[in-house]
Structure formats: C-alpha cells, structure tokens
C-alpha cells in the first residue's frame, strides 16, 4: 500500500528565507506527483505537476524535484513571503484517476 | 476559465435530513471527483466519474450517493448522515487520460463545502 509522508509537519520561518519541503513515498511505481497549496478552510490549488519521466518542474519562485528511485520529492520555495503561508500537500498519482495525498506541511512565513 | 464551483459553501444538517452538494466546471474536463477532508488531514478520495460514468467508488457508505447528470455537473446526495461525516467536501476535475496513456492529469479543485452534521 502506497504511503506518502511529508516532513516537517509544520514550519515557521522569517520572511525572505529559502526553504525546502519534503515528500516521501513508499512505492516508486508512480505515474506523476503533484504539489498543492491549501489555505485554511479552502480548496486546493495546484502548484506543480511532475510526470514520472521528469526530474523537476519550475514555476516562478517554486521548484519541485522528483527522484523516483529513492521515493522522494522536494518543493523548493525561494525568497519566502508571508503570502506563502499555507498548508502544502504532495500527491502521488498511482494509476488512472487516483492520487494518494501526503500528510501535509503547515508553513508560516513571518513578516 | 479554470474554475470549479461548489454550492453551498456551508451546510448544517440533522441526521434525518436529505441534502445535496453540487459541483460545476466548464473546462471541458470529463473526469470529476469527490473528496472528503477532515480537519488537519489530507483529502481522501470518495468517488470518480469518467465520461459521466462512475469509475471509482472507494467503499463509501451508501448514505453518500453521487450523481453526474452531465459532463459539467457533479452532485453528492446525502441522507441519514452521522456526526462523524462532518468534514470539508471537495470536488475536483481533470482531463481523463489519453488513449495512449493512463496517468492522472492535473486536478483542479473547488473551494469545498463545509458540512456539519448535528
């Protein structure tokens, strides 16, 4: 059974810091991996999608990498801002239509 | 338009009530999903519709009944719910896999319906 874990569970950093969020999965047989952001009580916003054949994806200040063989993905956020405060979720695409979500990292960026 | 809308935003119901949650998208997506999310937990998949047919049912109790009347709409009918069913219910949509591939595409989520069962 695929298990997806995110470390740390919570993170508080001062504004301007570069930071790394980690996502680990137990079964490397994945189709893709997606990073989402969720604000309190709201829906999920897709940030980046990495196909299994790709190593990384970039969008603005965000960079996500994927290492299937080691079962890891990282989300790098450059020059963090208070507006980045949210819960970040990774989700592993196992087969058609099915995503398994990670446990999430709650990020707080202090002004 | 990359928006998925959900109504109502909030819903409070008793255990004997019958209510429905609604979801709509106009992105031409032919796969639509219902997720349940408890506080401080990740979303859990409940149902998936592909081309208006039920594709996945994750062993959800029968008091939850999904319906996909057309390619843009997805409903979740609720009946005889329990207090532990209180949660945020999220709808999502995506393009289904191409004939040559079988991987999940980017999912677009709605804002959710906050359900409280008394």
């Amino acid at each position: 059974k695929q298990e997806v874990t995110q470390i740390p569970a919570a993170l508080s950093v001062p504004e301007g810091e570069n930071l790394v969020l980690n996502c680990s999965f137990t079964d490397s047989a994945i189709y893709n991996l997606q990073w989402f952001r969720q604000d309190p009580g709201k829906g999920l916003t897709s940030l980046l999608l990495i196909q299994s054949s790709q190593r990384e994806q970039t969008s603005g200040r965000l960079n996500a990498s994927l290492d299937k063989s080691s079962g890891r993905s990282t989300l790098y956020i450059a020059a963090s801002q208070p507006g980045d405060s949210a819960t970040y979720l990774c989700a592993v695409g196992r087969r058609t239509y099915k995503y398994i979500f990670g446990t999430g990292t709650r990020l707080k960026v202090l002004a | 338009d990359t928006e998925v809308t959900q109504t109502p935003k909030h819903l409070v119901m008793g255990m004997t009530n019958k209510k429905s949650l609604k979801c709509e998208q106009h992105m031409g997506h032919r796969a639509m999903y219902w997720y349940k999310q408890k506080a401080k937990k990740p979303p859990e998949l409940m149902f998936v519709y592909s081309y208006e047919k039920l594709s996945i049912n994750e062993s959800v109790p029968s008091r939850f009944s999904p319906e996909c009347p057309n390619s843009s709409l997805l409903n979740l009918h609720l009946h005889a719910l329990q207090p532990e069913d209180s949660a945020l219910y999220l709808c999502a949509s995506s393009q289904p896999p191409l004939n040559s591939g079988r991987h999940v595409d980017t999912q677009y989520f709605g804002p959710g319906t906050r359900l409280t069962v008394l």
Side-chain angles (χ1 to χ4, degrees), chain B residues 1-7 21-34 49-53 67-76 91-96 108-110:
Chain B
D1 181 9
T2 58
E3 188 179 26
V4 177
T5 59
Q6 290 187 243
T7 55
L21 309 185
K22 296 186 184 302
C23 174
E24 189 168 6
Q25 57 88 16
H26 295 288
M27 293 178 277
H29 291 167
R30 301 303 295 275
M32 296 186 76
Y33 311 71
W34 280 116
Y49 273 83
S50 175
Y51 295 97
E52 296 87 68
K53 287 186 172 26
E67 179 195 19
C68 189
N70 61 55
S71 60
S72 300
L73 292 174
L74 184 66
N75 298 322
L76 186 63
C91 173
S93 71
S94 74
Q95 288 290 13
Y108 294 86
F109 281 79

Side-chain angles (χ1 to χ4, degrees), chain A residues 31-32 34 36 38 40-46 49 51 89 93-99 101-104 106, chain B residues 31 33 35 37 40 42-43 45 48 50 55-56 58 88 90 96-97 102-107 109-111 114:
Chain A
Y31 288 114
N32 57 31
Q34 193 164 1
F36 293 89
Q38 186 173 30
K42 306 287 187 183
L44 279 66
T45 301
S46 177
L49 173 70
Q51 301 294 352
L89 293 155
R94 285 295 313 282
R95 63 176 176 88
T96 309
Y97 304 124
K98 289 205 73 171
Y99 271 121
F101 281 82
T103 47
R106 292 189 304 281
Chain B
Y33 311 71
Y35 287 87
Q37 186 178 27
K40 297 190 177 181
L45 183 65
V48 181
S50 175
S55 179
I56 294 176
E58 292 287 88
L88 180 67
L90 295 163
R102 292 184 60 78
H103 50 271
V104 182
D105 204 347
T106 302
Q107 293 191 354
F109 281 79
R114 174 71 61 188

Side-chain angles (χ1 to χ4, degrees), chain A residues 1 12 23 32-33 43 50 56 60 67 76 89 99 102 106 111:
Chain A
K1 179 186 174 184
S12 185
C23 172
N32 57 31
L33 187 143
I50 311 175
E56 65 177 329
D67 184 343
Y76 176 82
L89 293 155
Y99 271 121
R106 292 189 304 281

